[in-house]
Amino acid sequence: MKRRNVIVGLSAFAGAVAFPALLAAQPTPDQLLAAGALPEKSFGAEDAPVTVIEYASLTCPHCRTFHVNVWPEFKKKYVDTGQVRFIMREFPFDPRASAGFMLARCSGDDKWYATIDLLYRSQDNWARVSDGTAALKSLMGMTGMDTARFESCLQDQALLEQVAAVAEAGKSFGVDSTPTFFVNGEMRKGALSLEQFSEIIDPLVAEGKQ
């Protein structure tokens, strides 16, 4: 992808499409947790008995559903109690999602999550409007990012390639839709409810206590 395409591509409709899975075999936990192109964005204790990895796209309505409706209670029940380490990874389906992830990274560690949260909650205002650049610039202004920093971030070819590399690694693990979760290495697709997660996680937590 050429450098200018990140911004130019924001004018296109950000529809989600599925990537073909490149790996039929289930990846091992070590493969899943190997260092990637970008530092991990994780929540919870590193020694938690359960690790959940999410591959998501910021323009994906199902990812927004999980983030807004499930994640707060999931975090309260499992992450804040030390039972789950949760890792969020970039899997953009389109230039707008790539741009959103880049802007969140450019916001710095202290504003990264707040930016992700803002982009999910305002998804309809930037992901599916005619002028995505103007919409994103306006939103990022709310975080304190000025125009110069906004444009510099979206022209950062190295960062674009790093975001793409995270997604490519996900595809090599068999990810072809979002959200896709790996719970202690086992793939689960779709915006699972808290109840569905509990059915998967509670036995693993119990097993870890034995």
Side-chain angles (χ1 to χ4, degrees):
M1 183 178 290
K2 294 182 179 179
R3 182 170 300 179
R4 63 183 181 86
N5 285 356
V6 184
I7 294 180
V8 172
L10 298 183
S11 298
F13 175 74
V17 295
F19 287 120
L22 301 181
L23 182 69
Q26 186 85 4
T28 67
D30 286 344
Q31 288 174 325
L32 283 166
L33 292 172
L38 286 168
E40 296 281 33
K41 292 298 185 181
S42 65
F43 303 80
E46 291 192 8
D47 62 351
V50 178
T51 297
V52 177
I53 301 172
E54 177 196 19
Y55 282 91
S57 177
L58 286 171
T59 53
C60 163
H62 302 294
C63 300
R64 175 182 60 185
T65 295
F66 170 76
H67 178 83
V68 174
N69 298 333
V70 181
W71 167 244
E73 288 302 313
F74 181 100
K75 182 176 182 293
K76 180 179 178 181
K77 181 176 181 179
Y78 290 113
V79 178
D80 295 345
T81 58
Q83 298 177 79
V84 169
R85 181 191 182 204
F86 192 94
I87 300 171
M88 293 185 179
R89 289 181 181 168
E90 295 92 340
F91 199 83
F93 273 120
D94 50 67
R96 293 192 189 193
S98 295
F101 283 129
M102 292 169 69
L103 291 165
R105 291 279 182 172
C106 289
S107 295
D109 291 341
D110 58 332
K111 292 184 178 180
W112 173 84
Y113 178 74
T115 302
I116 292 291
D117 184 65
L118 174 64
L119 291 171
Y120 270 132
R121 292 181 183 277
S122 59
Q123 190 183 84
D124 290 339
N125 297 328
W126 65 272
R128 282 168 279 279
V129 297
S130 58
D131 191 343
T133 303
L136 276 173
K137 184 182 294 185
S138 176
L139 280 173
M140 295 309 298
M142 296 170 60
T143 72
M145 181 178 288
D146 61 24
T147 298
R149 180 62 176 150
F150 176 86
E151 294 179 350
S152 174
C153 179
L154 294 187
Q155 293 169 358
D156 187 339
Q157 182 69 16
L159 179 56
L160 173 62
E161 291 173 357
Q162 288 170 320
V163 169
V166 173
E168 287 296 322
K171 284 192 282 183
S172 77
F173 300 144
V175 178
D176 61 2
S177 62
T178 56
T180 291
F181 301 93
F182 288 92
V183 183
N184 276 7
E186 184 175 346
M187 181 187 291
R188 302 281 181 160
K189 295 186 178 184
L192 304 181
S193 66
L194 183 61
E195 292 73 20
Q196 289 172 312
F197 269 116
S198 295
E199 291 177 0
I200 302 166
I201 292 173
D202 290 350
L204 295 174
V205 171
E207 181 181 330
K209 293 179 179 179
Q210 293 178 358

